[in-house]
Amino acid sequence: MKLSILILSLSVVSCFQSRPKIHRDSDVIQVPEAKKGDASVQSIRLLSNQEYGKTVQALFNQEVSIDLENDRNGLFANQIVSMPVKKVEKYVDGAIGLVDQLDIKTIPHSECPDTNFESCLARFISEFGKLAWRRPLSSEESDRFIGYISANSGLSYESKIRDLTKIFLASPHFVLRTEIGSASESRFQLTPYEMASYLSYNLLGAPPHGELWSAAENGTLNSAEKMKEYALSIIDDPSYDGYVFSNFIGSMFQLDRLETASKDPKHNFNEDSIRSAKQELQEVFLFLVKHDTKPLQSIFTNRYTVNQAALLNLYGTTSPGQENLLEIDSSNREGFLSRVAFLAINSEFDHSNPMRRGAKILDNFMCRAVPPPPPEANEAVANGQNSREFRATSPTCKGCHLSIDPIGYAFESFNEVGQVNGDYQVLEESITLDGETVSFTGLTGPNGLSQALAASREVENCLIRRWYEYLQGSPVSGTFDGDKVTQFAEMLRAGESLKSVLIEMIADKEVIYRKRLAK
């Protein structure tokens, strides 16, 4: 029997025993879906490329690069709704290729000091399985692996270790993070192992280890208070790299899309440009979190960049010295919306795209969902009817574009790679912000709009909502979620630091007690 088929039979068809079932047809494996508007539901999350790589590195001390082609369910949500069988096969092939290259000595718990191979294999299944799946195996799961050993008695000890390792890594229990819990009155309380994974992947992007893993093993990680204690110990550690902050800002601005932001060669927009554009937003945001009393507002108004030649060339300036962070000319570049990353991602190959820029700001930072254009709009574009005047007057288009276009055109003085492309043209339009009309004639270019966004409660509430979604792994909506967003936003406005509010979100009781997934 081909090993890939064996892995599928062991790890997919029969996975999640005594847990929510994964339903499979010929093409797609379906996962029970959360009801819209539910907060803190049971969830099943797919590891991101970065999380997968860090998890493999934690197991084998070996770096691996893999493109899982993760589909977002929302801005940065990673709850999985379905998984095509072709993607499952990709995990299988990846596991086979990875383990075939490993020195068996690098596989934890694979050593067998005596010749009692049967005992060593049973110990390997128990100990390595717990590390790989980030929880102990059930007796039924262990029996399934023991059954494989019995059915393949002719294989050598090393071959059995390698095959078992491949099966563990190809399993949904490895590539998915479950937040299911065990029944507790009307809700499901996350297990200590699930709490440890929740904390570790959100704050470190890696599987739990050290004291956090020990707390899961001995069952002491069992309350909101303990979650807060361990979250603080991670973030306050002097060696902490700030992953939760850099990953959040990377997700908000969708920095991964810079890799595919192909540009006209005349701009020399190369790997150095992409790397430094990412670095700029992530390192500056980390600096703001540490040194700015209002880091969320400063997303829109800060004047810092990184000392990287490829980036400074695009900004039309040079490095004045050796400092890592520099202040740049703020006459037209206040905040991240006027920086290369946002402008280049939301542009085309050889021209800017004000509609895309406006839609992203509305959706990502104002939490105003922008629906896809209706078929009639696509037909109008195909017929050459795509002028601003047409979009502002067409019954089909104006409902969205009266908000999208003014915001996007406020940044039209920047080209497709974020270089200044001319003087700002005063706009006649206006937008609604915090329930009031804001006229663009009173704004001083892109800086004026950025300052208005920074001062907006609507925008601040949206950013808190985005943090909550980031931690939950799913979009939030409905009355309950609105109350939560308001609660955390008021904490921030009362003077609490972003770090303190984040800790309260992480340790919120609604994280620990989940509603049932929809059947």
Side-chain angles (χ1 to χ4, degrees):
M1 179 183 291
K2 186 179 177 183
L3 182 60
S4 61
I5 298 174
L6 173 64
I7 292 174
L8 284 170
S9 67
L10 283 172
S11 64
V12 176
V13 178
S14 59
C15 71
F16 291 113
Q17 297 295 321
S18 304
R19 287 168 164 244
K21 303 283 186 181
I22 289 184
H23 307 291
R24 177 179 177 179
D25 58 28
S26 58
D27 299 313
V28 177
I29 298 172
Q30 298 289 343
V31 177
E33 189 173 358
K35 293 179 180 178
K36 237 179 181 179
D38 273 356
S40 302
V41 294
Q42 294 173 301
S43 65
I44 300 171
R45 306 198 201 191
L46 180 64
L47 293 182
S48 67
N49 292 337
Q50 187 174 14
E51 290 169 344
Y52 186 97
K54 284 191 172 186
T55 303
V56 169
Q57 187 173 24
L59 278 174
F60 308 113
N61 195 28
Q62 178 166 319
E63 292 188 6
V64 62
S65 177
I66 187 169
D67 181 10
L68 305 179
E69 301 175 356
N70 290 344
D71 301 316
R72 287 188 175 93
N73 174 23
L75 179 59
F76 36 57
N78 59 355
Q79 271 198 27
I80 183 171
V81 174
S82 64
M83 183 184 289
V85 169
K86 286 185 177 180
K87 182 176 283 189
V88 176
E89 292 171 346
K90 188 172 185 176
Y91 286 117
V92 172
D93 292 340
I96 292 173
L98 171 65
V99 178
D100 281 342
Q101 297 175 23
L102 289 175
D103 181 339
I104 192 171
K105 294 178 182 178
T106 66
I107 302 176
H109 304 292
S110 61
E111 68 282 353
C112 191
D114 52 40
T115 56
N116 189 351
F117 295 131
E118 185 175 333
S119 174
C120 290
L121 287 167
R123 179 176 57 83
F124 176 78
I125 290 169
S126 174
E127 297 301 322
F128 180 80
K130 182 163 66 172
L131 290 178
W133 288 2
R134 303 173 291 278
R135 61 167 179 81
L137 274 65
S138 69
S139 58
E140 185 178 355
E141 289 165 338
S142 296
D143 288 346
R144 203 177 309 134
F145 283 98
I146 295 296
Y148 164 76
I149 293 172
S150 300
N152 292 272
S153 57
L155 293 177
S156 67
Y157 176 77
E158 179 174 333
S159 294
K160 289 177 182 178
I161 289 290
R162 289 190 183 278
D163 283 0
L164 289 171
T165 304
K166 293 171 184 177
I167 296 171
F168 276 120
L169 297 194
S171 166
H173 297 288
F174 178 75
V175 298
L176 300 178
R177 293 164 47 199
T178 60
E179 293 168 10
I180 302 300
S182 54
S184 174
E185 297 180 355
S186 60
R187 295 224 176 179
F188 289 77
Q189 181 175 353
L190 296 191
T191 68
Y193 289 99
E194 289 173 327
M195 291 185 201
S197 286
Y198 169 86
L199 279 177
S200 192
Y201 279 106
N202 271 327
L203 297 181
L204 300 167
H209 66 281
E211 291 184 5
L212 185 61
W213 180 246
S214 297
E217 287 189 303
N218 60 36
T220 56
L221 185 62
N222 56 8
S223 67
E225 290 72 24
K226 284 293 183 182
M227 291 269 279
K228 183 183 295 187
E229 178 184 325
Y230 281 100
L232 276 169
S233 70
I234 292 172
I235 291 181
D236 285 343
D237 188 320
S239 65
Y240 181 55
D241 64 1
Y243 171 86
V244 69
F245 301 108
S246 59
N247 196 52
F248 172 78
I249 208 71
S251 299
M252 281 293 291
F253 283 87
Q254 297 170 301
L255 295 182
D256 57 326
R257 297 186 178 179
L258 271 172
E259 303 289 347
T260 56
S262 178
K263 302 299 176 186
D264 191 317
K266 69 180 182 181
H267 295 301
N268 195 28
F269 192 76
N270 53 32
E271 290 183 2
D272 286 341
S273 308
I274 291 170
R275 176 186 50 77
S276 57
K278 289 181 179 179
Q279 183 182 346
E280 177 184 35
L281 267 59
Q282 293 180 318
E283 289 194 8
V284 170
F285 187 61
L286 281 174
F287 175 81
L288 296 174
V289 169
K290 292 179 180 178
H291 302 288
D292 196 304
T293 56
K294 294 185 176 181
L296 294 184
Q297 287 85 344
S298 294
I299 286 173
F300 305 101
T301 58
N302 79 83
R303 302 177 179 184
Y304 296 104
T305 187
V306 290
N307 192 353
Q308 295 290 333
L311 195 62
L312 297 178
N313 287 339
L314 291 171
Y315 289 152
T317 187
T318 56
S319 170
Q322 300 300 314
E323 297 87 354
N324 184 43
L325 292 184
L326 310 171
E327 284 200 43
I328 57 173
D329 177 12
S330 62
S331 60
N332 58 11
R333 286 203 188 271
E334 282 194 9
F336 291 163
L337 298 180
S338 297
R339 305 299 171 81
V340 166
F342 175 78
L343 297 167
I345 289 169
N346 296 295
S347 292
E348 306 300 335
F349 174 77
D350 57 0
H351 61 276
S352 64
N353 189 327
M355 290 176 288
R356 186 185 296 175
R357 290 172 178 177
K360 286 298 179 185
I361 292 172
L362 276 171
D363 199 344
N364 292 14
F365 301 98
M366 301 171 72
C367 293
R368 299 185 192 178
V370 179
E376 309 93 276
N378 293 328
E379 291 173 11
V381 171
N383 294 329
Q385 296 173 305
N386 195 31
S387 67
R388 290 183 67 190
E389 292 76 16
F390 174 81
R391 293 194 299 271
T393 57
S394 165
T396 302
C397 303
K398 69 178 182 180
C400 292
H401 282 279
L402 285 176
S403 296
I404 293 173
D405 287 14
I407 294 174
Y409 277 95
F411 297 91
E412 191 61 355
S413 55
F414 301 107
N415 69 8
E416 61 270 22
V417 295
Q419 294 172 309
V420 174
N421 195 34
D423 294 331
Y424 171 72
Q425 301 297 315
V426 177
L427 302 174
E428 301 297 328
E429 293 97 334
S430 61
I431 60 169
T432 301
L433 194 60
D434 295 326
E436 297 183 2
T437 300
V438 176
S439 172
F440 277 79
T441 56
L443 299 178
T444 54
N447 284 0
L449 177 57
S450 292
Q451 290 163 9
L453 295 173
S456 166
R457 279 199 168 209
E458 178 183 348
V459 172
E460 185 177 45
N461 286 347
C462 179
L463 290 173
I464 291 297
R465 172 181 168 179
R466 294 306 187 207
W467 268 110
Y468 198 61
E469 290 178 329
Y470 171 84
L471 297 172
Q472 292 283 333
S474 62
V476 296
S477 59
T479 303
F480 175 86
D481 297 320
D483 291 344
K484 281 291 178 185
V485 168
T486 300
Q487 171 191 332
F488 294 125
E490 290 300 328
M491 288 177 60
L492 203 62
R493 284 192 275 269
E496 293 283 351
S497 68
L498 177 60
K499 185 188 81 171
S500 297
V501 175
L502 176 64
I503 294 295
E504 291 299 324
M505 285 186 187
I506 289 173
D508 187 66
K509 287 186 178 180
E510 296 300 327
V511 167
I512 299 173
Y513 295 95
R514 303 296 181 98
K515 295 179 183 178
R516 184 188 298 273
L517 277 165
K519 294 182 178 180

